[in-house]
Amino acid sequence: MSLRTQPLGPDAWLVTGEAYASNATLFLQGDEVLMVDALGSREDAQALRAWVSDTLRARVRQVVCTHGFSDHLAALQGFPEASVLAHARFEETFQAERFRSSEEAGFYRAPDHVLDAPLRMRWGRHHLEVFPNPGHTPSTLNLDVPELDVLLSADIAVGSMAYIAYGEPADIDAALARAEARGRTRVIQGHGGVSPASTLSAARHYLRALEHAVREARGAPEPILAIQLQVCLPTGMPGTDTEAFFHRRNLDEVLARGLWSGPSP
Protein backbone atom coordinates (compact mmCIF):
# COMPACT_ATOMS: atom_id res chain seq x y z
CA MET A 1 0.00 0.00 0.00
CA SER A 2 1.54 3.31 -1.07
CA LEU A 3 1.31 6.63 0.74
CA ARG A 4 1.99 10.04 -0.76
CA THR A 5 3.98 12.28 1.57
CA GLN A 6 4.50 16.01 1.17
CA PRO A 7 6.49 18.26 3.51
CA LEU A 8 4.59 21.37 4.57
CA GLY A 9 7.62 22.76 6.39
CA PRO A 10 10.62 21.46 8.31
CA ASP A 11 8.38 19.99 11.01
CA ALA A 12 5.08 19.23 9.30
CA TRP A 13 3.98 16.65 6.75
CA LEU A 14 0.90 15.85 4.74
CA VAL A 15 0.28 12.14 4.18
CA THR A 16 -2.33 11.03 1.64
CA GLY A 17 -3.50 7.44 1.62
CA GLU A 18 -4.52 5.28 -1.31
CA ALA A 19 -8.05 4.69 0.01
CA TYR A 20 -10.26 7.69 -0.86
CA ALA A 21 -7.10 9.85 -1.08
CA SER A 22 -7.75 10.64 2.59
CA ASN A 23 -5.33 13.03 4.26
CA ALA A 24 -3.50 12.93 7.56
CA THR A 25 -1.50 16.00 8.62
CA LEU A 26 1.42 15.52 11.00
CA PHE A 27 3.10 18.13 13.19
CA LEU A 28 6.41 17.25 14.86
CA GLN A 29 7.63 18.26 18.28
CA GLY A 30 10.95 16.51 18.77
CA ASP A 31 10.13 12.82 18.36
CA GLU A 32 6.43 13.26 19.12
CA VAL A 33 3.67 13.81 16.57
CA LEU A 34 0.32 15.54 16.64
CA MET A 35 -1.75 14.06 13.82
CA VAL A 36 -4.94 15.45 12.28
CA ASP A 37 -7.18 12.70 10.88
CA ALA A 38 -6.25 9.08 10.37
CA LEU A 39 -6.71 7.88 6.75
CA GLY A 40 -9.31 5.55 5.27
CA SER A 41 -8.18 1.89 5.31
CA ARG A 42 -6.36 -0.56 7.55
CA GLU A 43 -3.63 -0.99 4.93
CA ASP A 44 -3.04 2.76 4.78
CA ALA A 45 -3.09 2.91 8.58
CA GLN A 46 -0.43 0.21 8.84
CA ALA A 47 1.73 1.96 6.25
CA LEU A 48 1.32 5.24 8.13
CA ARG A 49 2.42 3.73 11.43
CA ALA A 50 5.50 2.23 9.74
CA TRP A 51 6.33 5.54 8.03
CA VAL A 52 6.07 7.53 11.26
CA SER A 53 8.30 5.03 13.06
CA ASP A 54 10.87 4.33 10.34
CA THR A 55 11.08 7.65 8.49
CA LEU A 56 10.22 10.25 11.10
CA ARG A 57 11.55 8.10 13.96
CA ALA A 58 8.73 9.45 16.04
CA ARG A 59 5.56 8.42 17.86
CA VAL A 60 2.03 9.77 17.50
CA ARG A 61 0.99 11.23 20.84
CA GLN A 62 -2.12 13.24 19.94
CA VAL A 63 -4.77 12.84 17.23
CA VAL A 64 -7.34 15.48 16.34
CA CYS A 65 -10.33 14.16 14.38
CA THR A 66 -11.98 16.73 12.13
CA HIS A 67 -15.26 14.79 12.10
CA GLY A 68 -16.68 11.36 12.76
CA PHE A 69 -16.82 9.70 9.33
CA SER A 70 -14.99 6.41 8.89
CA ASP A 71 -12.86 7.47 5.90
CA HIS A 72 -10.78 9.53 8.35
CA LEU A 73 -10.58 7.13 11.31
CA ALA A 74 -8.70 4.03 10.14
CA ALA A 75 -5.47 4.59 12.11
CA LEU A 76 -7.04 5.53 15.44
CA GLN A 77 -6.77 2.01 16.81
CA GLY A 78 -3.28 1.65 15.34
CA PHE A 79 -1.94 4.31 17.70
CA PRO A 80 -3.34 3.17 21.07
CA GLU A 81 -0.74 5.27 22.91
CA ALA A 82 -2.14 8.47 21.35
CA SER A 83 -4.81 10.62 22.95
CA VAL A 84 -7.77 11.41 20.66
CA LEU A 85 -9.49 14.80 20.60
CA ALA A 86 -12.79 15.29 18.74
CA HIS A 87 -16.00 17.28 18.79
CA ALA A 88 -18.62 16.46 21.40
CA ARG A 89 -20.92 15.18 18.60
CA PHE A 90 -18.26 12.89 17.12
CA GLU A 91 -20.00 9.60 17.95
CA GLU A 92 -23.35 10.95 16.79
CA THR A 93 -21.81 11.70 13.40
CA PHE A 94 -20.28 8.25 13.14
CA GLN A 95 -23.62 6.61 13.88
CA ALA A 96 -25.33 8.75 11.22
CA GLU A 97 -22.94 7.72 8.42
CA ARG A 98 -24.83 5.95 5.62
CA PHE A 99 -22.14 4.76 3.24
CA ARG A 100 -19.38 2.54 4.60
CA SER A 101 -18.07 -1.02 4.42
CA SER A 102 -18.10 -3.55 7.23
CA GLU A 103 -14.37 -2.95 7.68
CA GLU A 104 -14.92 0.79 7.98
CA ALA A 105 -17.63 0.25 10.58
CA GLY A 106 -14.90 -1.08 12.88
CA PHE A 107 -12.71 2.04 12.74
CA TYR A 108 -14.49 3.92 15.51
CA ARG A 109 -12.59 4.75 18.68
CA ALA A 110 -14.14 6.86 21.40
CA PRO A 111 -12.26 10.12 21.90
CA ASP A 112 -10.37 10.74 25.11
CA HIS A 113 -11.29 14.41 25.09
CA VAL A 114 -14.11 16.33 23.40
CA LEU A 115 -14.77 20.00 22.75
CA ASP A 116 -17.60 22.22 21.52
CA ALA A 117 -15.77 25.55 21.62
CA PRO A 118 -12.51 26.84 20.09
CA LEU A 119 -9.30 25.48 21.59
CA ARG A 120 -5.83 26.91 21.14
CA MET A 121 -2.93 24.53 21.44
CA ARG A 122 0.81 24.65 20.79
CA TRP A 123 2.82 21.84 19.23
CA GLY A 124 6.46 22.66 18.65
CA ARG A 125 6.61 26.01 16.86
CA HIS A 126 3.02 25.77 15.70
CA HIS A 127 0.10 27.59 17.32
CA LEU A 128 -3.01 25.71 16.24
CA GLU A 129 -6.55 26.92 16.74
CA VAL A 130 -9.07 24.07 16.66
CA PHE A 131 -12.57 25.45 16.16
CA PRO A 132 -16.00 23.93 15.54
CA ASN A 133 -17.23 24.60 12.02
CA PRO A 134 -20.47 22.61 11.67
CA GLY A 135 -22.26 22.31 8.36
CA HIS A 136 -20.99 19.26 6.51
CA THR A 137 -21.50 17.38 9.80
CA PRO A 138 -22.41 18.60 13.30
CA SER A 139 -19.03 17.36 14.54
CA THR A 140 -16.80 19.16 12.03
CA LEU A 141 -13.66 20.80 13.38
CA ASN A 142 -11.31 23.01 11.39
CA LEU A 143 -7.74 23.90 12.33
CA ASP A 144 -6.03 27.20 11.59
CA VAL A 145 -2.23 27.01 11.43
CA PRO A 146 -0.81 30.51 10.88
CA GLU A 147 2.86 29.46 10.82
CA LEU A 148 2.16 27.40 7.70
CA ASP A 149 -0.47 29.74 6.21
CA VAL A 150 -2.80 26.75 6.03
CA LEU A 151 -6.33 25.91 7.09
CA LEU A 152 -7.33 22.29 7.64
CA SER A 153 -10.90 22.48 6.39
CA ALA A 154 -12.05 18.84 6.70
CA ASP A 155 -14.83 18.04 4.20
CA ILE A 156 -16.72 21.34 4.17
CA ALA A 157 -15.52 21.50 0.54
CA VAL A 158 -14.91 18.43 -1.60
CA GLY A 159 -12.61 19.60 -4.34
CA SER A 160 -14.39 22.62 -5.79
CA MET A 161 -17.89 21.65 -4.69
CA ALA A 162 -19.79 20.83 -1.50
CA TYR A 163 -21.48 17.62 -0.37
CA ILE A 164 -24.93 18.15 1.14
CA ALA A 165 -26.00 14.65 2.22
CA TYR A 166 -25.56 15.31 5.95
CA GLY A 167 -26.20 19.02 6.33
CA GLU A 168 -28.34 21.92 5.26
CA PRO A 169 -26.90 23.83 2.29
CA ALA A 170 -27.17 27.14 4.15
CA ASP A 171 -25.20 25.72 7.08
CA ILE A 172 -22.51 24.37 4.75
CA ASP A 173 -22.27 27.75 3.04
CA ALA A 174 -21.87 29.41 6.44
CA ALA A 175 -19.09 26.96 7.31
CA LEU A 176 -17.33 27.76 4.05
CA ALA A 177 -17.66 31.49 4.78
CA ARG A 178 -16.13 31.04 8.24
CA ALA A 179 -13.25 29.10 6.71
CA GLU A 180 -12.70 31.75 4.02
CA ALA A 181 -12.62 34.45 6.69
CA ARG A 182 -9.46 32.91 8.12
CA GLY A 183 -7.63 34.30 5.10
CA ARG A 184 -5.21 31.43 4.53
CA THR A 185 -3.83 30.87 1.03
CA ARG A 186 -3.54 27.09 1.39
CA VAL A 187 -6.23 24.61 2.39
CA ILE A 188 -5.94 20.96 3.35
CA GLN A 189 -9.29 19.33 2.73
CA GLY A 190 -10.15 15.87 3.98
CA HIS A 191 -8.99 14.36 0.70
CA GLY A 192 -6.46 14.89 -2.04
CA GLY A 193 -3.48 16.89 -0.83
CA VAL A 194 -3.01 20.66 -0.58
CA SER A 195 -5.55 22.91 -2.34
CA PRO A 196 -5.65 26.65 -2.97
CA ALA A 197 -8.03 28.64 -0.79
CA SER A 198 -10.06 29.39 -3.91
CA THR A 199 -11.64 25.94 -3.55
CA LEU A 200 -13.69 27.36 -0.67
CA SER A 201 -15.18 30.13 -2.79
CA ALA A 202 -15.70 27.64 -5.64
CA ALA A 203 -17.69 25.41 -3.29
CA ARG A 204 -19.88 28.37 -2.31
CA HIS A 205 -20.42 29.11 -6.00
CA TYR A 206 -21.40 25.48 -6.51
CA LEU A 207 -24.07 25.67 -3.81
CA ARG A 208 -25.60 28.85 -5.25
CA ALA A 209 -25.52 27.50 -8.81
CA LEU A 210 -27.02 24.18 -7.72
CA GLU A 211 -29.86 25.95 -5.95
CA HIS A 212 -30.52 28.06 -9.05
CA ALA A 213 -30.51 25.00 -11.32
CA VAL A 214 -32.85 23.08 -9.00
CA ARG A 215 -35.30 25.98 -8.84
CA GLU A 216 -35.17 26.28 -12.63
CA ALA A 217 -36.03 22.58 -12.88
CA ARG A 218 -39.18 23.29 -10.80
CA GLY A 219 -38.99 20.19 -8.63
CA ALA A 220 -39.45 17.59 -11.37
CA PRO A 221 -37.27 14.49 -10.84
CA GLU A 222 -36.04 14.04 -14.41
CA PRO A 223 -34.81 17.62 -14.96
CA ILE A 224 -33.20 17.72 -11.52
CA LEU A 225 -31.31 14.47 -12.08
CA ALA A 226 -30.14 15.84 -15.43
CA ILE A 227 -28.39 18.86 -13.87
CA GLN A 228 -24.76 18.66 -14.94
CA LEU A 229 -21.86 19.23 -12.58
CA GLN A 230 -20.26 21.64 -15.02
CA VAL A 231 -23.11 24.15 -14.85
CA CYS A 232 -22.64 24.35 -11.07
CA LEU A 233 -18.89 24.98 -11.08
CA PRO A 234 -17.20 28.33 -11.75
CA THR A 235 -16.67 29.08 -15.44
CA GLY A 236 -13.69 27.30 -16.91
CA MET A 237 -13.20 24.96 -13.94
CA PRO A 238 -13.16 21.32 -15.07
CA GLY A 239 -14.95 18.85 -12.85
CA THR A 240 -13.25 15.73 -11.54
CA ASP A 241 -14.56 12.18 -11.31
CA THR A 242 -14.78 12.54 -7.53
CA GLU A 243 -16.79 15.74 -7.80
CA ALA A 244 -19.10 14.12 -10.36
CA PHE A 245 -19.70 11.19 -8.00
CA PHE A 246 -20.72 13.43 -5.11
CA HIS A 247 -22.70 15.72 -7.40
CA ARG A 248 -24.87 12.74 -8.36
CA ARG A 249 -25.40 11.98 -4.68
CA ASN A 250 -26.32 15.61 -4.13
CA LEU A 251 -29.02 15.42 -6.79
CA ASP A 252 -30.46 12.32 -5.13
CA GLU A 253 -30.44 14.22 -1.84
CA VAL A 254 -32.22 17.19 -3.38
CA LEU A 255 -35.07 14.91 -4.43
CA ALA A 256 -35.19 12.87 -1.23
CA ARG A 257 -35.37 15.94 1.01
CA GLY A 258 -37.21 18.31 -1.29
CA LEU A 259 -34.43 20.86 -1.06
CA TRP A 260 -35.10 24.31 -2.56
CA SER A 261 -38.71 23.39 -3.31
CA GLY A 262 -40.14 26.41 -1.49
CA PRO A 263 -40.07 30.08 -2.46
CA SER A 264 -36.70 31.77 -2.81
CA PRO A 265 -35.61 33.66 0.32
Side-chain angles (χ1 to χ4, degrees):
M1 188 64 62
S2 61
L3 301 176
R4 288 186 285 123
T5 59
Q6 176 182 348
L8 301 171
D11 50 5
W13 289 82
L14 177 63
V15 178
T16 304
E18 187 171 320
Y20 310 115
S22 289
N23 292 324
T25 307
L26 281 62
F27 300 91
L28 277 70
Q29 178 177 262
D31 64 354
E32 296 189 332
V33 172
L34 181 150
M35 182 170 74
V36 181
D37 286 336
L39 303 184
S41 74
R42 293 199 190 281
E43 290 83 359
D44 284 345
Q46 292 166 359
L48 175 64
R49 184 173 178 88
W51 186 81
V52 169
S53 176
D54 298 343
T55 301
L56 298 184
R57 299 193 178 280
R59 296 174 293 178
V60 175
R61 289 300 193 190
Q62 175 81 59
V63 182
V64 179
C65 294
T66 62
H67 59 298
F69 283 164
S70 59
D71 54 339
H72 303 284
L73 309 182
L76 291 184
Q77 296 175 21
F79 294 101
E81 67 277 14
S83 175
V84 175
L85 172 68
H87 191 275
R89 299 180 70 178
F90 179 73
E91 182 177 3
E92 173 189 333
T93 298
F94 181 79
Q95 297 299 338
E97 188 176 14
R98 287 183 266 160
F99 308 101
R100 62 181 175 216
S101 68
S102 56
E103 176 187 277
E104 292 160 359
F107 291 165
Y108 181 79
R109 173 183 162 187
D112 301 285
H113 307 283
V114 298
L115 61 82
D116 58 6
L119 172 69
R120 289 178 172 83
M121 55 196 303
R122 181 169 182 174
W123 197 269
R125 71 183 177 98
H126 298 290
H127 297 79
L128 301 94
E129 183 179 356
V130 185
F131 62 97
N133 200 8
H136 169 62
T137 75
S139 70
T140 296
L141 300 175
N142 285 179
L143 288 89
D144 192 10
V145 190
E147 288 83 4
L148 296 175
D149 186 25
V150 69
L151 180 78
L152 280 67
S153 65
D155 285 342
I156 60 171
V158 178
S160 297
M161 50 91 73
Y163 182 39
I164 63 174
Y166 296 94
E168 294 299 325
D171 294 338
I172 298 169
D173 184 66
L176 289 162
R178 287 189 290 268
E180 275 191 294
R182 293 286 166 154
R184 302 303 169 203
T185 64
R186 298 192 295 174
V187 168
I188 296 175
Q189 299 184 6
H191 306 268
V194 179
S195 302
S198 60
T199 56
L200 301 174
S201 59
R204 298 189 73 192
H205 175 100
Y206 170 88
L207 287 172
R208 293 190 295 271
L210 179 61
E211 177 181 2
H212 177 76
V214 169
R215 292 189 182 280
E216 285 288 302
R218 303 186 181 207
E222 291 80 7
I224 286 176
L225 291 175
I227 295 170
Q228 297 296 307
L229 168 66
Q230 203 60 53
V231 306
C232 299
L233 294 176
T235 302
M237 181 172 289
T240 66
D241 290 344
T242 297
E243 290 165 351
F245 175 85
F246 286 105
H247 176 69
R248 288 191 295 272
R249 279 196 181 173
N250 280 349
L251 298 180
D252 291 337
E253 198 70 19
V254 166
L255 291 176
R257 289 162 53 192
L259 295 174
W260 298 308
S261 59
S264 300

